[in-house]
Every structure is written in structure tokens, then in C-alpha cells.
Amino acid sequence: MIKLKKKHFNFNIKNSLIGIFTGFVNGIFGSGGGTLLVPILNNIVKVEEHKSHATALSIIIFLTSASSVIYISKGTYDISLTLKVALGSVIGGIIGAKLLSKVTGKFLRISFGAIMILASLRMVF
């Protein structure tokens, strides 16, 4: 069982603004909020590399849940595609989470940066 200490619930305007920003990006683009979280957690909040990746993944649950409720209520989603991709994403998520602790922070930084560059080039061209 996870024990949460009182310090985990201290209100922080900076963290709330980060949440609003990443939630907005996730809501409007359908993704990206979690992708922005890793560098934000590393560089602004000063969270260690492995912990920032794991924390971003945990935050994504809330980002996508909030956005998904709106998308589903408006009918702007494909349930068939969702179910088809969901199984693979669960399997991939488990594999990735197990591998996270086995790679170095430098590897995470470089590989994440490379994926971000490739994704941005794909979006532009």
C-alpha cells in the first residue's frame, strides 16, 4: 500500500500552472501533455530523470481521463480502434515500465530527445 505524507498535498501554484498547461495541450491536441511533462519535471521542477518519466506516466492517467470524458461525450473517438490499440499499449507499457529502471538517465535523455525530434519532424513534414 502506498503511504502519502502531508507534504505530498501542499498546494503549489507553479505545479498547478504546469498541470493546467499540460492538461490544455493534451486536451486540444489529444496527446502531448505527457510528453511535455518529462522536460518540465526535469528542468523546472528538478525531478531526477527516471522519476520524471515515471511521474509523467502517472500524471497522464489524469490528463487522458479528463480529455477522454469530453471526447467520448461528444462522440469524437473511434471505439473499435481504441480497443484494438489498447491491448498492445498495455503490453508495451508493462515492458517499458520494467525496462525504465534498467537504463541510465543519459540513455533516457538522449533516446527521449531523439524520439521528440523525429515526432516533431513528422508533424511538420
Side-chain angles (χ1 to χ4, degrees), residues 51-98:
K51 193 174 274 192
S52 68
H53 283 264
T55 302
L57 289 171
S58 298
I59 293 169
I60 290 169
I61 293 168
F62 300 100
L63 290 172
T64 56
S65 296
S67 299
S68 292
V69 167
I70 303 298
Y71 295 148
I72 290 168
S73 71
K74 299 210 178 272
T76 52
Y77 74 107
D78 183 332
I79 188 67
S80 175
L81 180 59
T82 301
L83 295 174
K84 290 173 186 172
V85 175
L87 178 61
S89 61
V90 168
I91 293 167
I94 291 169
I95 294 168
K98 289 183 181 232

Side-chain angles (χ1 to χ4, degrees), residues 14-82:
K14 177 174 72 172
N15 292 343
S16 296
L17 291 173
I18 290 168
I20 290 168
F21 173 69
T22 56
F24 171 78
V25 170
N26 190 75
I28 198 162
F29 296 117
S31 68
T35 306
L36 293 172
L37 274 169
V38 172
I40 288 171
L41 292 174
N42 284 147
N43 301 317
I44 296 173
V45 184
K46 303 297 184 197
V47 175
E48 181 268 327
E49 199 77 37
H50 289 79
K51 193 174 274 192
S52 68
H53 283 264
T55 302
L57 289 171
S58 298
I59 293 169
I60 290 169
I61 293 168
F62 300 100
L63 290 172
T64 56
S65 296
S67 299
S68 292
V69 167
I70 303 298
Y71 295 148
I72 290 168
S73 71
K74 299 210 178 272
T76 52
Y77 74 107
D78 183 332
I79 188 67
S80 175
L81 180 59
T82 301

